[in-house]
Amino acid sequence: MGLRNTTQAFGSVTRVLHWGMALVIVVAIALIELTDLAPRGSALRRGMRDWHMQSGLLILALVWFRVAWRLSNTLPAI
């Protein structure tokens, strides 16, 4: 399997972007849900919130890269 998409299959970059973004989204959701376990005003809670925000920025950057990658590649047939 190559890096770029072909008419038969998605490339490895597309697959890594898909599953990597899924993982980061799950982590971002888990971080914000788990902040209720930490006491208000604690360093742990602030750290979890900061990691949540950083993962959101990473998702935004990956979305832009994924859109650019999608526009520069072909789509496999269904």
Side-chain angles (χ1 to χ4, degrees):
M1 171 187 347
L3 292 176
R4 296 179 82 62
N5 299 343
T6 65
T7 55
Q8 281 77 33
F10 287 107
S12 58
V13 172
T14 303
R15 290 175 192 233
V16 167
L17 278 172
H18 175 82
W19 290 109
M21 285 182 66
L23 178 67
V24 174
I25 289 169
V26 167
V27 167
I29 291 170
L31 280 170
I32 204 64
E33 291 296 323
L34 292 175
T35 55
D36 293 337
L37 299 176
R40 291 189 185 273
S42 68
L44 176 62
R45 189 175 182 124
R46 282 192 305 275
M48 291 171 80
R49 189 187 63 227
D50 291 344
W51 277 99
H52 171 78
M53 287 194 235
Q54 293 297 321
S55 60
L57 291 173
L58 177 61
I59 292 166
L60 180 64
L62 288 174
V63 164
W64 282 108
F65 180 74
R66 191 171 177 181
V67 167
W69 187 257
R70 161 64 182 89
L71 292 174
S72 68
N73 277 285
T74 60
L75 271 180
I78 294 178

